[in-house]
Amino acid sequence: MKVCRRETFNSAHRLFRKEWSDEKNRDVFGKCSNPNYHGHNYVLEVWIEGAIDPETGFVIDLKELKSVIVAHIIERFDHRNLNLDCIEFEGINPTTENIARVIWNILRVKLDPKFGIEVQLSETDKNKAYYAGV
Amino acid sequence: MKVCRRETFNSAHRLFRKEWSDEKNRDVFGKCSNPNYHGHNYVLEVWIEGAIDPETGFVIDLKELKSVIVAHIIERFDHRNLNLDCIEFEGINPTTENIARVIWNILRVKLDPKFGIEVQLSETDKNKAYYAGV
Amino acid sequence: MKVCRRETFNSAHRLFRKEWSDEKNRDVFGKCSNPNYHGHNYVLEVWIEGAIDPETGFVIDLKELKSVIVAHIIERFDHRNLNLDCIEFEGINPTTENIARVIWNILRVKLDPKFGIEVQLSETDKNKAYYAGV
Amino acid sequence: MKVCRRETFNSAHRLFRKEWSDEKNRDVFGKCSNPNYHGHNYVLEVWIEGAIDPETGFVIDLKELKSVIVAHIIERFDHRNLNLDCIEFEGINPTTENIARVIWNILRVKLDPKFGIEVQLSETDKNKAYYAGV
Amino acid sequence: MKVCRRETFNSAHRLFRKEWSDEKNRDVFGKCSNPNYHGHNYVLEVWIEGAIDPETGFVIDLKELKSVIVAHIIERFDHRNLNLDCIEFEGINPTTENIARVIWNILRVKLDPKFGIEVQLSETDKNKAYYAGV
Amino acid sequence: MKVCRRETFNSAHRLFRKEWSDEKNRDVFGKCSNPNYHGHNYVLEVWIEGAIDPETGFVIDLKELKSVIVAHIIERFDHRNLNLDCIEFEGINPTTENIARVIWNILRVKLDPKFGIEVQLSETDKNKAYYAGV
């Protein structure tokens, strides 16, 4: 049994490697490497796998899951510049893949080890990433 | 190969345990335990896994799957109070998890054992459950 | 210039007239008159018409509009039974039309008279109402 | 008769007035004034009102309308920082209202005066603006 | 006060004028003039404007509106080829605009003259038409 | 780690077996066997599973994945009649299942064998297929 909570955050970012020239960054990352940043409405789905608690009928109380997501993901990344404001992406290119992995790693520490965790992150309606740990 | 049919139903429910005090129910289930009920537009996705029939090109005829879902799920739960009108939830708290499991159990009996069945149920755009049997 | 804020609430209700027989209620309102209630995820869009404030660039601060909607609509109707818990519907059948009108009337009092107000309320993806005052 | 074309663009922005202190900007614009910017997936709907051409059955060829929107709106604003990269917002706070008005003004010049133009712009699923000229 | 009912139909069509050469049709209508047709999931929204009936709380019973739409629009156009199967489009290019107008004209005859009628028709998520009569 | 690219195409098709009578086709495929075809807005999601490239932060460059999908799927099937215009469906009934499998087979050849591939194809909001190879 799995349950899912969906939250959103709105951030600026750019894709680039500082050790590459502007030209190479432009070649590889295209308009996503615009030096002044662009941004997205990220849509995050966190799926938790576990057994149903026979007392409550919950795998996990989604109000509590929401609190964890808000406190540790939304508060950190919403209305922020992922490259400049978030130490989690120091030296890490904030691609959808890397953001999903960073989020998964944060949640893995904050949530009970008995739960399986899957993260799906949409950058746009057309581009998504999914991560469930290695 | 899997195919999916999506249907919806609109029901009232409340989350509570009758052996708990009102206060404890309020503590655990929050506003979801409102004694006079609240309600949701449930969105149900039923995924069927199987081989493609070489004659028809179908895993299962989705018109038939729709008929099964309508006859055994929608007719039972749509425009009903899950707590008061549906014996399937007698003694079972109608959380999204439990509703998904009840639906899966009903479909498991009604559909050919050769098919795998997965049920995804959305209570709101933010809260979902997924069940595929034990 | 108009701006819109979208909020949601989840409520139970039934459609019926207490001065009619059960049979007549069933005839007119169909399964929507189920005595034990059913429910919906209501989606509310509030549109505000006005001039752009040259200082802020806002017609109205959507954070403030959100606060008004939450305080006076969501807090009253979310996770409630519209027929039993909400005096606003005493003697008023909680059809989508009537809920939209009740909401408009509440907001009209709470918002600055300089603003035009339009309310769109979805009961389901298929059924909606729109009201902008008489 | 009206027809609509929907396009999207992804931009960074911040809301602030440079003549205000950081504190006042924070007070008025909240987290939207984050100095390092944040961003959105903007969804633009352009509605064109006119008569149906009896030969083609079109009010306007939506392929042409798309070309105009892409050339004059998407190319300018997509994957850009509205505050830093777009002279259209020099001295103009890039609120949803102001972006909608800027877009309308650009399209008004580029499209045949015989057409009525309405612009709807969503910053998020919850916040939208609509502009149809003064 | 307005209410809306949303229905869908899936049809094949092509855009062309038989008095034009294939080349001219290709020039004007592009890939939409493919001689073997293509198709769409059309999404129809019918808005009805009127007064709320004080007895029922309805502008119009949406169950009845649904019946009218199904009987006179969906039954005619769903799983049909608009060019070949539907006499309503004899000599009329089935553009979104023309389909919306044909639908409006059909509904205008079938619905009580006391009601205002607006039709919104989506051919795709990106292309829509709106018609409310002359 | 998986990433997803979503694209759409609009096609006509019919479901039938030429060796069956019209009556049997009607019995099995219902209105989907209409001889003059009908059509759909197909929504395609292609999921790619692989390791994150430590240099770019990409599993696969979604711009490149988009190019492959457009060149080999969209260009072939968009604004086409799957039965008449597409040799890929010669002797294959264009059910959602079969279209998904055809797409998967095309992509399997065009994409690096190191990647896992999953295809999800929606014919309508209610009917979907998923295929990840045998």
Side-chain angles (χ1 to χ4, degrees):
Chain A
M1 177 71 66
K2 296 180 199 175
V3 290
C4 173
R5 179 73 191 175
R6 180 183 181 274
E7 295 292 339
T8 59
F9 56 96
N10 312 314
S11 314
H13 81 150
R14 68 174 293 210
L15 302 184
F16 79 116
R17 284 181 68 88
K18 63 183 167 202
E19 57 274 36
W20 288 356
S21 67
D22 283 2
E23 203 185 354
K24 180 156 185 197
N25 273 307
R26 197 76 191 168
D27 272 5
V28 173
F29 297 115
K31 60 187 179 180
C32 295
S33 72
N34 176 32
N36 284 330
Y37 311 97
H38 63 284
H40 295 291
N41 300 336
Y42 289 97
V43 179
L44 170 65
E45 286 192 2
V46 177
W47 286 88
I48 301 297
E49 183 165 21
I52 297 184
D53 180 310
E55 282 228 311
T56 59
F58 290 152
V59 167
I60 186 174
D61 184 340
L62 288 178
K63 295 188 299 297
E64 282 172 32
L65 178 58
K66 176 191 175 178
S67 297
V68 172
I69 298 171
V70 168
H72 300 290
I73 309 297
I74 308 304
E75 289 294 332
R76 286 193 201 188
F77 300 150
D78 186 36
H79 283 72
R80 296 286 161 79
N81 184 310
L82 299 178
N83 303 78
L84 300 180
D85 296 329
C86 302
I87 54 166
E88 293 84 356
F89 294 100
E90 224 172 70
I92 295 176
N93 210 8
T95 59
T96 317
E97 292 93 321
N98 277 333
I99 305 172
R101 187 158 62 177
V102 161
I103 289 172
W104 190 91
N105 286 334
I106 293 172
L107 293 176
R108 183 65 288 170
V109 174
K110 298 296 173 189
L111 292 168
D112 193 318
K114 74 180 176 184
F115 292 127
I117 303 175
E118 298 166 53
V119 161
Q120 184 174 301
L121 185 70
S122 303
E123 190 186 72
T124 67
D125 285 349
K126 300 198 144 196
N127 294 348
K128 286 185 277 194
Y130 166 92
Y131 187 64
V134 256
Chain B
M1 179 71 65
K2 297 180 198 174
V3 291
C4 173
R5 179 74 191 175
R6 181 183 180 275
E7 296 292 340
T8 59
F9 57 96
N10 312 315
S11 314
H13 81 150
R14 68 174 293 209
L15 302 184
F16 79 115
R17 283 181 70 88
K18 61 183 170 203
E19 57 274 37
W20 287 356
S21 68
D22 283 1
E23 203 185 355
K24 180 158 185 196
N25 274 307
R26 198 75 191 168
D27 272 4
V28 174
F29 297 115
K31 60 188 179 179
C32 295
S33 70
N34 175 33
N36 284 330
Y37 311 96
H38 63 284
H40 295 292
N41 300 336
Y42 289 96
V43 179
L44 171 65
E45 287 192 1
V46 178
W47 285 89
I48 301 297
E49 182 164 21
I52 297 184
D53 180 309
E55 282 227 312
T56 59
F58 290 151
V59 167
I60 187 174
D61 184 340
L62 288 178
K63 295 188 299 295
E64 283 172 31
L65 178 58
K66 176 191 174 177
S67 297
V68 172
I69 298 172
V70 169
H72 300 289
I73 308 298
I74 308 304
E75 290 293 332
R76 286 193 202 188
F77 300 149
D78 186 36
H79 281 72
R80 298 285 162 79
N81 184 310
L82 299 179
N83 303 78
L84 300 181
D85 297 329
C86 303
I87 53 166
E88 293 84 355
F89 294 101
E90 223 171 71
I92 295 176
N93 209 9
T95 58
T96 317
E97 292 93 321
N98 276 334
I99 305 172
R101 188 158 62 177
V102 160
I103 289 172
W104 189 91
N105 285 335
I106 293 171
L107 294 176
R108 183 64 289 170
V109 174
K110 298 295 174 189
L111 292 168
D112 193 320
K114 75 179 176 185
F115 292 127
I117 303 175
E118 297 165 55
V119 161
Q120 185 175 297
L121 185 70
S122 302
E123 190 185 73
T124 67
D125 285 349
K126 300 199 143 194
N127 294 348
K128 286 185 277 195
Y130 165 94
Y131 187 64
V134 255
Chain C
M1 179 70 67
K2 297 180 198 174
V3 290
C4 173
R5 179 73 191 176
R6 181 184 181 274
E7 296 292 339
T8 60
F9 57 95
N10 312 314
S11 313
H13 81 151
R14 68 174 293 210
L15 301 185
F16 79 116
R17 284 180 71 89
K18 63 184 167 201
E19 58 273 37
W20 288 356
S21 67
D22 282 2
E23 204 185 355
K24 178 155 187 200
N25 274 306
R26 197 76 191 166
D27 272 4
V28 173
F29 297 116
K31 60 188 178 180
C32 295
S33 70
N34 176 32
N36 284 330
Y37 311 96
H38 63 285
H40 296 290
N41 300 336
Y42 288 96
V43 179
L44 170 65
E45 287 192 0
V46 177
W47 286 89
I48 302 296
E49 183 165 22
I52 297 183
D53 179 309
E55 282 228 313
T56 59
F58 289 152
V59 167
I60 186 174
D61 185 340
L62 288 177
K63 296 188 299 298
E64 283 173 31
L65 178 58
K66 176 189 174 179
S67 298
V68 172
I69 298 172
V70 168
H72 300 290
I73 309 297
I74 308 304
E75 290 294 331
R76 287 192 201 188
F77 300 149
D78 186 36
H79 283 72
R80 297 285 162 79
N81 184 310
L82 299 179
N83 302 80
L84 300 180
D85 297 329
C86 303
I87 52 165
E88 293 83 357
F89 294 101
E90 225 173 69
I92 295 177
N93 210 9
T95 58
T96 318
E97 292 93 320
N98 276 334
I99 305 172
R101 188 158 61 178
V102 160
I103 289 172
W104 190 91
N105 285 334
I106 293 171
L107 294 176
R108 182 64 288 170
V109 173
K110 298 296 175 189
L111 293 168
D112 193 319
K114 75 180 175 183
F115 292 127
I117 302 175
E118 298 166 53
V119 162
Q120 185 174 299
L121 184 71
S122 303
E123 191 186 73
T124 69
D125 286 349
K126 300 198 144 197
N127 294 349
K128 286 185 276 194
Y130 166 92
Y131 187 63
V134 254
Chain D
M1 178 71 67
K2 297 181 198 175
V3 290
C4 173
R5 179 75 190 175
R6 181 183 179 274
E7 297 291 341
T8 59
F9 57 95
N10 312 315
S11 312
H13 81 150
R14 67 174 293 211
L15 302 186
F16 80 116
R17 284 181 70 88
K18 62 184 167 202
E19 57 273 38
W20 288 356
S21 68
D22 282 2
E23 204 185 354
K24 180 157 185 198
N25 274 306
R26 198 75 191 168
D27 272 4
V28 174
F29 298 115
K31 59 189 179 178
C32 295
S33 71
N34 175 33
N36 284 329
Y37 311 97
H38 63 284
H40 296 290
N41 300 336
Y42 289 96
V43 178
L44 171 65
E45 287 192 1
V46 178
W47 286 89
I48 301 296
E49 182 164 21
I52 297 184
D53 179 308
E55 282 228 311
T56 59
F58 289 152
V59 166
I60 186 174
D61 184 342
L62 287 178
K63 298 189 298 298
E64 282 173 31
L65 178 59
K66 176 190 174 178
S67 297
V68 171
I69 297 172
V70 169
H72 300 289
I73 308 298
I74 308 303
E75 290 294 331
R76 286 192 201 189
F77 300 149
D78 186 36
H79 282 72
R80 297 285 161 78
N81 184 310
L82 298 179
N83 302 79
L84 299 180
D85 296 330
C86 302
I87 52 164
E88 292 84 357
F89 294 101
E90 226 173 68
I92 295 177
N93 209 10
T95 58
T96 316
E97 292 93 319
N98 276 333
I99 305 172
R101 188 158 62 178
V102 160
I103 289 171
W104 189 91
N105 286 334
I106 293 172
L107 293 175
R108 182 65 288 171
V109 174
K110 298 295 174 189
L111 292 168
D112 193 319
K114 75 180 176 185
F115 292 128
I117 302 175
E118 297 166 55
V119 161
Q120 185 174 299
L121 185 70
S122 303
E123 190 186 74
T124 68
D125 286 349
K126 299 198 144 195
N127 294 348
K128 288 185 275 195
Y130 166 93
Y131 188 62
V134 252
Chain E
M1 178 71 67
K2 298 180 196 175
V3 290
C4 173
R5 179 74 190 175
R6 182 183 179 274
E7 296 291 340
T8 59
F9 56 95
N10 311 315
S11 313
H13 81 150
R14 68 174 294 213
L15 301 186
F16 80 116
R17 285 180 69 89
K18 62 183 169 203
E19 56 274 38
W20 288 356
S21 67
D22 282 0
E23 204 185 355
K24 180 157 185 198
N25 273 306
R26 197 78 191 164
D27 272 4
V28 174
F29 297 115
K31 60 188 179 179
C32 295
S33 71
N34 175 32
N36 284 329
Y37 310 97
H38 63 284
H40 295 290
N41 300 336
Y42 289 96
V43 179
L44 171 65
E45 287 192 0
V46 178
W47 286 89
I48 301 297
E49 184 166 19
I52 297 184
D53 180 309
E55 281 227 313
T56 59
F58 289 152
V59 167
I60 186 175
D61 184 341
L62 287 177
K63 296 189 300 296
E64 282 173 31
L65 178 59
K66 177 190 174 178
S67 297
V68 171
I69 297 172
V70 168
H72 300 289
I73 309 296
I74 308 304
E75 290 294 332
R76 287 191 201 189
F77 300 150
D78 186 36
H79 282 72
R80 297 287 162 78
N81 184 310
L82 299 179
N83 303 79
L84 299 180
D85 296 330
C86 302
I87 53 165
E88 292 83 357
F89 294 100
E90 225 173 67
I92 295 177
N93 210 9
T95 57
T96 317
E97 292 93 319
N98 276 333
I99 305 172
R101 187 158 62 177
V102 161
I103 289 171
W104 190 91
N105 285 334
I106 293 172
L107 294 176
R108 182 65 288 171
V109 174
K110 299 295 174 189
L111 293 169
D112 192 318
K114 75 181 174 183
F115 293 127
I117 303 175
E118 297 167 54
V119 161
Q120 185 174 298
L121 185 71
S122 302
E123 190 185 73
T124 68
D125 285 348
K126 300 198 144 197
N127 294 349
K128 287 185 276 194
Y130 166 92
Y131 187 63
V134 255
Chain F
M1 178 71 67
K2 298 181 197 175
V3 289
C4 173
R5 179 73 191 174
R6 181 181 180 275
E7 296 291 341
T8 59
F9 56 95
N10 312 315
S11 313
H13 81 150
R14 68 175 293 211
L15 302 185
F16 79 114
R17 284 181 69 90
K18 62 182 168 203
E19 57 275 35
W20 287 356
S21 67
D22 282 1
E23 202 183 355
K24 179 155 185 200
N25 274 307
R26 197 77 191 167
D27 272 4
V28 174
F29 297 115
K31 60 187 179 178
C32 295
S33 71
N34 175 32
N36 284 329
Y37 311 96
H38 63 283
H40 295 291
N41 300 336
Y42 288 96
V43 179
L44 170 66
E45 287 193 1
V46 177
W47 286 89
I48 301 297
E49 183 164 21
I52 297 184
D53 180 309
E55 281 228 312
T56 59
F58 289 151
V59 167
I60 186 174
D61 184 341
L62 288 177
K63 295 188 300 297
E64 283 173 32
L65 178 58
K66 176 190 174 179
S67 297
V68 172
I69 297 172
V70 168
H72 300 289
I73 309 298
I74 309 304
E75 290 293 331
R76 286 192 201 189
F77 300 150
D78 186 36
H79 283 73
R80 297 287 161 79
N81 185 310
L82 299 179
N83 302 79
L84 299 180
D85 296 330
C86 302
I87 53 166
E88 293 84 356
F89 294 100
E90 225 173 69
I92 295 177
N93 209 9
T95 58
T96 317
E97 292 93 320
N98 276 333
I99 305 173
R101 187 157 63 177
V102 161
I103 288 172
W104 189 91
N105 286 334
I106 293 172
L107 293 176
R108 185 62 289 171
V109 174
K110 299 295 174 189
L111 292 168
D112 193 318
K114 76 180 174 184
F115 292 127
I117 302 175
E118 298 167 53
V119 161
Q120 185 175 299
L121 185 71
S122 303
E123 191 185 73
T124 66
D125 285 349
K126 300 198 144 196
N127 294 348
K128 286 186 276 195
Y130 166 93
Y131 188 63
V134 255

